[in-house]
Amino acid sequence: MNNLNNKKILLIICGGIAAYKSLEIIRLLKKDGVSIKTILTKSGAEFVTPLSITSLSQSKVYQDLFSIEDEAEMDHISLSRWADLILIAPATANTISKLANGNSDDLASTVALASNKKIFITPAMNVRMWEHQSTKQNISKLKTYNYELIGPEIGDMACGEYGEGKMTEPKEIVNKLKIYFKNLKVKNKLKAIVTAGPTREYIDPVRYISNKSSGKQGFEIAKSLLKKGFETTLISGPTNLEINKNINLIKVETAEEMFQSTLKSLPADVAIFSAAVCDYKVKNTSKIKIKKQDEINLELEKNLDILDYVSNHNSLRPKLVVGFAAETNDLENYVNKKLSEKNCDWIVANDVSNKTIGFDSDFNEVSIFFKNKKIDRLKYKSKSEISEELVEKIINHLN
Ligand code: CTP
């Protein structure tokens, strides 16, 4: 099955010796039935000519932000809306820097900034430029802006040096785009629910019981799901975090509200329960502020377990149910017990006896326990990387 057929790709060619490879990309994409429009930057035009690009792409090359003819035919906003995907190949250190910093002083950077589409960048530069801290920082920024990186590769460079910075081969780039469209096709139909953050169980209108959860891991999981094309609902207790507006965020406070919102958000293909739901709530919450007294007795009652409820009701149960567990001791025993008692498919567990990871940290180290007793250990890394790996496993499972 050809996942590229009838797709529209806007190819941005920047200046660099690797620009000649962009001609081969055009040839391969055309062979697969892709409609291509191209933007050639000023320095790109020093390496490849508009004539060779047009001959291969059978369409006009756009070069100038202020060209009256180009704007009349297709203005720069329409150009970014026309495409299903934007590919920047080769992407120079200069263009990467512009995109990371929101500059828009030429057609390429303006179109990228105005785009609402997935943008792939395939860097190509000298190894020292690639390894420079400023480039590294720019690339990290672009990743958080949802740009997808292809390469660069390690090898001999045109400048005679050796190292990382070589542009990925056209065939490999085209394969990556095929995989992207293939996954998109499958995942567009999939719906995910994530619970995150702590809950608050009110004692009176101004006091509550809660816990240390920051919600960071759950938010990162929601971001990774969105990035992979899931229709994502994030049901979150109070946090200081912000989320992409394409995620359906439902803000809740109490466990009861989280439960009701979860029920309303079902059905889903996958549900990930990462929230640190308070196990207990106050039995008789006071409607007015309680005054200071010598002694106060709070009567607590158990909250309903959302994960347990959803997982054990066949009519509600998503195809894949993932729970979380934070333990200070005897991790494996407790997790296996939770796996079977709560009837979930996987449990993402972390050892919270180590204070540098887990709660409120940007980093985590988790083990994923599966029903069949298999355990995948994800070593110490950022919560965003953990989420990407988890979502990759979810996709493989659902596929
Ligand atoms: N969970 C839930 N609803 C609750 C309580 C927990 O959905 N009312 C979910 C959490 O989101 C998480 C998992 O259940 O996925 C955590 O299990 P839980 O048994 O609550 O863990 P602990 O609170 O650590 O339990 P224990 O104190 O028994 O270890």
Side-chain angles (χ1 to χ4, degrees), residues 45-56:
E46 300 289 334
F47 294 88
V48 284
T49 66
L51 185 60
S52 49
I53 296 169
T54 301
S55 313
L56 286 166

Side-chain angles (χ1 to χ4, degrees), residues 195 273-275 277-279 303-307 323-324 326-327 338 342:
T195 69
F273 294 89
S274 71
V277 186
C278 287
D279 288 326
N303 264 327
L304 187 139
D305 192 307
I306 309 166
L307 162 59
F324 267 67
E327 308 287 349
K338 273 180 200 168
K342 298 201 183 196

Side-chain angles (χ1 to χ4, degrees), residues 60-130:
K60 186 179 158 65
V61 180
Y62 296 82
Q63 289 182 271
D64 190 357
L65 180 58
F66 302 109
S67 153
I68 294 170
E69 294 95 70
D70 287 1
E71 279 287 300
E73 186 194 296
M74 186 172 259
D75 66 75
H76 61 277
I77 302 292
S78 311
L79 203 50
S80 72
R81 298 291 176 272
W82 168 84
D84 293 314
L85 175 152
I86 297 178
L87 171 67
I88 309 181
T92 55
N94 183 41
T95 295
I96 287 169
S97 164
K98 282 194 207 176
L99 300 184
N101 294 295
N103 292 350
S104 52
D105 62 353
D106 64 359
L107 184 61
S109 51
T110 305
V111 165
L113 194 63
S115 165
N116 58 352
K117 300 291 162 52
K118 186 81 186 169
I119 303 183
F120 280 79
I121 43 173
T122 60
M125 65 194 77
N126 168 272
V127 56
R128 299 278 164 256
M129 292 168 86
W130 175 249

Side-chain angles (χ1 to χ4, degrees), residues 186-197:
V186 181
K187 271 161 268 142
N188 263 346
K189 296 186 208 109
L190 297 180
K191 211 180 139 193
I193 295 178
V194 183
T195 69

